[in-house]
Amino acid sequence: MGNNIKGKVAIVGIGETKIGKHPGKNSDQLAAEASIKAIEEAGLSKDDIDGVLTPGSFEGAYSTQSAHSAIFAEYMQIHPRHTAMMRLGGATPAAMVEHAALAIDAGLCNTVLIAAGDNRISGLSRQKTMEIMSSVGHPEFEDPYGPLIPGLYAMVARRHMYEFGTTSEQLAAIAVAMRKHASLNENAVSRKPLTVEEVISSPMIARPLHKFDCCFMSDGGGAVIVTASERAKDLRKKPIFLLGAGEGSTHEHISQSPSLTTFGCKLSGENAFRMADLKPQDIDVAELYDCFTITVLIELEDLGFCKKGEGGAFVEGGRIEVGGQLPVNTHGGLLSQSQVGRASSLFHVMEAVQQLRGEAGERQVPVVNFALAHGNGGILSTHCTLIFGREER
Amino acid sequence: MAAFEGDVPYILALVQLEEGIRMMSNIVQCRPEEIAIGMNVQVFFDDVTEEITLPKFRPWKES
């Protein structure tokens, strides 16, 4: 691998809607609201945007519309030179940043709008949500046995406990840290402090995952603007440079995964760190996809922040809280800020940007030179790791 | 999902077959607390409808 995209592009604008309930707004309205904020923040106009990437949404017709990025560009009255709808589950927003870098570096476009909105609470019925949640397995070889998403992640948690002695209290420490960070974020939904005891005494969803080991859904939207580093320097906001990007996938269906404790995040992390020429210990803050507590534990290990099997001990003692060795999900993550459908890992990316700009307010980590954002999709199936820095290097 | 309502709590498992394949299935005919990773199970064929038969597993018992 010779040429790479290290330092070639930067994020120059971010925007997010209020996260919560937005009855009466569709997913595109939410994505547009965030996009307008991001474009304005960058000091650009919509006519400067010549690339549009979207993940679609879970809502109605859009859930199956393959040309969603064109629909959204039309809605925004943007006429892109490059556009794509990407579908890698929860890894999509992170992977769209990587894709934007490739497209810009290849000269296909100069300035890309990545926009995602979803209204899973207000736009979908409970019945529809349950249908989506219960159709993630293989239609012939898994779904007949009744797997729901929590049940599938529970298998990974149970295996981790079996192999390494990981405890429910250790998983709970992750939920507690996310909640503590959410309490410092005005745009988080669950902000009341949580204790380990409260997590492990919350209702069992799929053994060994309790209610507070699982994320919950809200409506919301987010957007980021990516442009070439050269152009970025002339814009309003301090550019946050993309230094490393990598993907990895070992399976789509968990029954076909070669391992139940190591996943594609190992490969995506290795690729991203190699490109950035950095090591895990160089990272000051990590924004890790957290659909469940076990997801964070697996990512911490596979990305190299601790050894395989030592994630349980690593997350204890406030080590992943602001003020600790490696603050994780300083915005509160999916576990406490909330899951916002296909926009989800975009909030991890935006928080990495906020932390690097030094604009994260009460939850700001004092010194942040390098931040990592990671998206995970399916049942630990698709992974994209991004490493950002304040300088081009 | 209503189809599974009467079965809750049901056991979802990955079963490693002696033939080398790993497959998802349900462990049935035992209580959840009797299940352990690594336990031996044996297949049986559950005619869930007239047209569909699913391989499921129950704890291994010497015959």
Side-chain angles (χ1 to χ4, degrees), chain A residues 156 244 255 280 315 339:
Chain A
V156 175
S255 59
V315 299
Q339 206 266 20

Side-chain angles (χ1 to χ4, degrees), chain A residues 127 130-131 134 140-148 151-152 155 158-159 162 207 254-260, chain B residues 1-2 4 10-14 21-27 32 35-38 48 52-57:
Chain A
Q127 177 63 26
M130 285 301 285
E131 281 172 21
S134 60
E140 287 175 65
F141 297 108
E142 295 184 347
D143 286 349
Y145 300 106
L148 287 163
L152 295 167
M155 289 181 146
R158 190 163 264 242
R159 186 74 199 184
Y162 173 77
R207 198 168 296 275
I254 191 72
S255 59
Q256 302 307 304
S257 178
S259 165
L260 283 177
Chain B
M1 286 317 291
F4 288 87
Y10 58 91
I11 298 154
L12 189 65
L14 291 175
I21 292 165
R22 184 190 296 165
M23 64 176 287
M24 187 169 287
S25 188
N26 297 128
I27 311 290
I35 298 289
I37 289 176
V48 288
I52 296 172
T53 298
L54 294 176
K56 292 186 179 175
F57 293 81

Side-chain angles (χ1 to χ4, degrees), chain A residues 36-37 72 122 124 126 141 176 257 266 299 338 380:
Chain A
I36 290 165
K37 285 184 188 172
F72 185 69
S122 305
L124 293 181
R126 182 182 167 83
F141 297 108
V176 169
S257 178
K266 187 168 193 306
E299 289 163 345
S338 192
L380 292 154

Side-chain angles (χ1 to χ4, degrees), chain B residues 26-39:
Chain B
N26 297 128
I27 311 290
V28 297
Q29 298 176 19
C30 69
R31 294 194 306 273
E33 52 274 23
E34 294 171 324
I35 298 289
I37 289 176
M39 73 187 284

Side-chain angles (χ1 to χ4, degrees), chain A residues 282-358:
Chain A
D282 296 318
I283 300 297
D284 301 301
V285 58
E287 314 297 353
L288 308 178
Y289 198 84
D290 56 327
C291 45
F292 299 93
T293 50
I294 183 64
T295 318
V296 176
L297 196 82
I298 294 288
E299 289 163 345
L300 284 168
E301 292 176 347
D302 279 350
L303 293 170
F305 292 112
C306 62
K307 288 191 183 131
K308 182 52 63 186
E310 295 180 0
F314 186 83
V315 299
E316 288 181 311
R319 201 173 279 110
I320 61 167
E321 295 177 9
V322 170
Q325 181 187 324
L326 180 74
V328 172
N329 293 347
T330 41
H331 58 316
L334 309 186
L335 285 167
S336 280
Q337 186 191 40
S338 192
Q339 206 266 20
V340 278
R342 296 210 177 130
S344 290
S345 70
L346 204 51
F347 283 82
H348 295 81
V349 171
M350 291 192 291
E351 178 66 8
V353 170
Q354 298 257 58
Q355 288 285 343
L356 281 160
R357 285 176 177 174

